[in-house]
Amino acid sequence: MSESKYTSFPETGLPVRFKKTFDLAREAHLLVDNDTADFAQFWHFHPVKMAEEAMAAGLGDHAVMAALLHDVVDSTPMTMDHVERAVEWETASLLYEISWPMALQFNVDGKLHQEFIGHLVKASETAQSVKLLDLIQTLIHLGTKKHALAVHYANAVKPLIEALHPQGSPFKTRAQYICKWASRVLYERQVNHYGLMPASAEML
C-alpha cells in the first residue's frame, strides 16, 4: 500500500517514511549531556523545521533526511561511520558535505574558519541549500530567544551566506534577509505571535 501524503507522525508534519531518520536524530541528541528545556526544544524544532522546508521546496527525500540529521556529526557523539551504517549512501553523502566539527567551525575571534567555508562552497547545490536552511532556522531561533548571540552569529555567518550559490534556490536570499534582521536587534517589535519573522517578510 502506498503512503498517503496526508499521513504524518505526531512529532512533525513529515510523512511517516521519515520517522526512522527522526528517531535516529533524537537518539543522537539524547547522548548529549544537556537536559535544559531550551536545548530540548531547539534540537527538536530546528531540524524538523528544516526538514519540512526541504520537503516543501522539493529538494528530495535524501535532503529531508540530511536536514533531520544535519548536526549529529557536528554536535553529538555520533560519527559518520554510524550514519553510513544507518542511512542510504545519498543521505550520508549530503551529511558529509555539510558537516564540520563544531569546535573547529569558529576561530578565536568568533569568525568562521576559511577552511569551513571552503568545504561548504565545494558542496553540491542540494547540500548548500540544506546548510542555508540550517543558518536560517538558527538565526530565527537566536533572534527570538538570545538577542545578543543572534547579532554575533549573524555577523559570523554572513561571509558563508555570501559564498554559497545554489542555483535556483530561494534560500540564499532568505538567509541574507534574516541575517540583516538578526543584526538589527529589533526583535521585540518585529517578532510575530509565533516567534518567527513578521508576516510582512515575504522571504520567510
Side-chain angles (χ1 to χ4, degrees):
M1 181 180 294
S2 61
E3 177 184 74
S4 169
K5 65 179 180 179
Y6 301 108
T7 302
S8 62
F9 53 100
E11 298 92 337
T12 78
L14 296 169
V16 293
R17 66 180 181 275
F18 297 114
K19 189 174 190 308
K20 181 179 177 181
T21 308
F22 172 84
D23 289 341
L24 180 64
R26 176 167 54 186
E27 290 168 7
H29 284 279
L30 288 174
L31 297 173
V32 179
D33 185 19
N34 191 328
D35 59 357
T36 64
D38 185 63
F39 174 81
Q41 181 186 38
F42 177 67
W43 91 254
H44 176 88
F45 174 81
H46 175 74
V48 168
K49 184 63 175 176
M50 284 177 58
E52 290 172 346
E53 292 210 33
M55 185 174 68
L59 295 184
D61 282 8
H62 294 298
V64 174
M65 290 185 280
L68 287 170
L69 296 168
H70 76 280
D71 63 349
V72 297
V73 176
D74 297 346
S75 306
T76 80
M78 186 172 287
T79 67
M80 279 303 305
D81 286 340
H82 294 133
V83 172
E84 289 170 354
R85 289 195 295 267
V87 302
E88 295 180 10
W89 178 86
E90 293 87 347
T91 301
S93 180
L94 283 174
L95 194 60
Y96 172 79
E97 290 186 275
I98 62 176
S99 295
W100 196 266
M102 186 65 69
L104 301 179
Q105 291 186 13
F106 297 88
N107 62 27
V108 293
D109 296 322
K111 297 180 180 179
L112 288 179
H113 279 294
Q114 287 301 313
E115 292 86 350
F116 179 38
I117 295 177
H119 173 76
L120 291 168
V121 167
K122 291 184 290 186
S124 65
E125 293 178 0
T126 299
Q128 288 189 25
S129 291
V130 173
K131 186 59 186 178
L132 285 169
L133 279 173
D134 178 21
L135 300 178
I136 288 169
Q137 291 304 322
T138 300
L139 283 165
I140 291 174
H141 175 81
L142 293 177
T144 58
K145 293 183 178 295
K146 300 180 180 180
H147 305 168
L149 185 57
V151 176
H152 175 79
Y153 186 80
N155 291 332
V157 302
K158 185 177 180 180
L160 174 58
I161 293 172
E162 297 304 320
L164 298 181
H165 296 282
Q167 295 296 316
S169 170
F171 300 131
K172 176 168 180 173
T173 304
R174 289 179 56 195
Q176 290 171 320
Y177 179 91
I178 294 170
C179 195
K180 292 178 181 178
W181 167 77
S183 297
R184 288 199 299 267
V185 206
L186 299 178
Y187 310 106
E188 286 78 9
R189 285 185 292 172
Q190 292 189 340
V191 174
N192 68 16
H193 175 71
Y194 297 101
L196 300 177
M197 295 288 289
S200 60
E202 294 182 355
M203 300 320 300
L204 193 81

